[in-house]
Amino acid sequence: MKHIVIIATGGTIAGSGEFGKAAEYAAGRFSVEEILKSVPAIRSLASIQTIQLCNVDSNEMNQQRWIKLRDQIHEVAKDPQTDGIVVTHGTDTLEETAFFLNLTLHTDIPIVLTGSMRPATSASADGPMNLYQAVALAASDQAKGAGVLAVFSDTIYSGRDIRKTNSYKTDAFEIDHFGSLGYMRDDQVYFLNRSKRAHTLTSPFSDLKIEHFPKVNIAYWHCDGDEETLRALCQNAKGLVIAGSGSGNYSKVWQKTIHELAKDHLIVRASRVPKGIVFDSAFFDPDHDTISAFTFPAHKARILLMLAMMKTSDKEKIQNWFETL
């Protein structure tokens, strides 16, 4: 029998509210051991070890908790008896944590994130099945070397591309036009695709010793966007990500300000549009002041830029990472 370690961080899967109702609840109320009591069949899949790393709403996840989680995973992965790791996490920022881990973990054992959209006290809680399938996936030999994964609503997602696209439904995640990696049928694993992008052991950031991150902020473009917003966000930061309209677009006023700020800051052009690719633009960035985010939304572009800045300030090299990772 495989040995799976569940590292719990809180979230809705550990949430509690009025019995039977799915709304108006507090996240991070139940321990991982209490959650497991609702899924007795899970122990038929693998021997289970639990670690309660923290118990918070995922909006309270921050850089220090990312570092702590990464260190904990590395420590657990050193044990030759560990066959896979499941991380329970709130859905709001799960995609950021999954992407960070996908780029920085130095292990090829299965790492699977999951959570829920309804609290444990709901009459139709989705957490138990998601956790059951996450353990089944982490125990599968097919998941080894596949990078950081996530499981929700019978679907397998990559840590690179998973994105929360619905604030209400239990089927809250998508990978847009990239497609899922596969499906779960109860405890059966069906991989359909594999990511060809570098991750975990092959990522250029998996060998980083991370104690803190360079500061990078995000500026969201909208009609009549004030250029002083850009200046304010750059005051105490080394980098900036622009969530532009369309293919990473903004006004001529912002273009001029970005040109000035790019002398002392690394700036990435991303898009507020959920699908598509941001390429270099001769019209909106004629002086090549920015790095194109390629397929990454602004919040993931921020993570990649922070990690890249820990390695280099070379814009061409960072651009290459955005296009190849």
Side-chain angles (χ1 to χ4, degrees):
M1 181 175 280
K2 296 288 184 73
H3 181 68
I4 303 299
V5 179
I6 301 175
I7 302 175
T9 69
T12 299
I13 193 171
S16 173
E18 184 177 346
F19 186 76
K21 294 188 176 181
E24 301 300 325
Y25 61 88
R29 290 293 182 87
F30 292 113
S31 70
V32 62
E33 286 293 338
E34 290 175 300
I35 297 169
L36 281 175
K37 290 177 183 177
S38 67
V39 202
I42 206 168
R43 296 190 184 276
S44 68
L45 300 175
S47 66
I48 304 294
Q49 175 187 344
T50 62
I51 297 172
Q52 189 75 53
L53 187 73
C54 57
N55 207 358
V56 297
D57 184 295
S58 69
N59 292 294
E60 301 302 325
M61 290 297 288
N62 54 34
Q63 294 174 4
Q64 290 307 308
R65 287 190 169 117
W66 280 348
I67 293 169
K68 188 176 179 182
L69 176 58
R70 178 187 187 235
D71 290 345
Q72 183 68 77
I73 290 173
H74 280 156
E75 185 64 30
V76 170
K78 287 179 184 176
D79 187 341
Q81 293 187 348
T82 301
D83 296 300
I85 297 171
V86 170
V87 177
T88 60
H89 196 289
T91 61
D92 281 352
T93 64
L94 180 143
E95 62 201 85
E96 293 175 72
T97 299
F99 185 53
F100 166 72
L101 294 176
N102 196 54
L103 289 175
T104 63
L105 286 179
H106 195 74
T107 181
D108 67 347
I109 70 169
I111 310 292
V112 183
L113 277 72
T114 196
S116 72
M117 287 294 289
R118 294 174 179 169
T121 49
S122 169
S124 53
D126 53 322
M129 187 56 156
N130 287 339
L131 183 57
Y132 179 81
Q133 293 185 333
V135 169
L137 180 58
S140 171
D141 292 336
Q142 297 180 62
K144 186 173 182 179
V148 173
L149 306 171
V151 167
F152 274 87
S153 299
D154 306 310
T155 307
I156 304 169
Y157 299 97
S158 74
R160 179 193 188 277
D161 299 316
I162 186 171
R163 192 167 183 180
K164 187 172 182 178
T165 58
N166 194 291
S167 63
Y168 184 71
K169 294 171 60 179
T170 54
D171 187 11
F173 290 89
E174 291 182 11
I175 303 188
D176 299 326
H177 48 279
F178 297 121
S180 69
L181 296 186
Y183 297 99
M184 301 291 297
R185 186 169 185 261
D186 293 328
D187 60 345
Q188 299 301 302
V189 178
Y190 296 92
F191 269 100
L192 302 175
N193 300 299
R194 291 271 179 164
S195 175
K196 291 187 176 181
R197 300 284 167 160
H199 57 68
T200 54
L201 289 178
T202 60
S203 166
F205 311 115
S206 68
D207 62 347
L208 278 177
K209 182 178 180 181
I210 305 175
E211 296 179 348
H212 57 82
F213 297 82
K215 188 169 182 178
V216 175
N217 288 321
I218 298 174
Y220 192 97
W221 164 253
H222 54 85
C223 288
D224 297 320
D226 184 356
E227 70 272 22
E228 291 306 314
T229 299
L230 299 176
R231 300 186 192 281
L233 289 171
C234 282
Q235 276 188 350
N236 298 309
K238 296 293 185 181
L240 182 69
V241 176
I242 309 293
S245 62
S247 55
N249 307 332
Y250 35 73
S251 70
K252 291 181 179 180
V253 172
W254 267 39
Q255 179 182 316
K256 180 181 178 181
T257 307
I258 288 168
H259 179 65
E260 296 172 10
L261 294 171
K263 296 173 184 177
D264 301 307
H265 299 79
L266 288 169
I267 302 178
V268 172
R269 285 175 49 251
S271 176
R272 66 189 195 185
V273 179
K275 296 181 182 180
I277 302 176
V278 175
F279 292 107
D280 189 27
S281 171
F283 183 79
F284 287 97
D285 187 20
D287 297 306
H288 305 286
D289 294 315
T290 66
I291 296 159
S292 304
F294 203 57
T295 60
F296 296 112
H299 50 288
K300 287 189 176 181
R302 172 180 172 266
I303 294 169
L304 180 48
L305 181 59
M306 288 192 299
L307 294 172
M309 291 169 66
M310 297 174 72
K311 286 267 190 176
T312 184
S313 58
D314 187 318
K315 284 170 58 177
E316 288 188 12
K317 190 167 187 178
I318 296 174
Q319 182 66 73
N320 179 258
W321 283 333
F322 269 88
E323 294 178 8
T324 59
L325 292 177

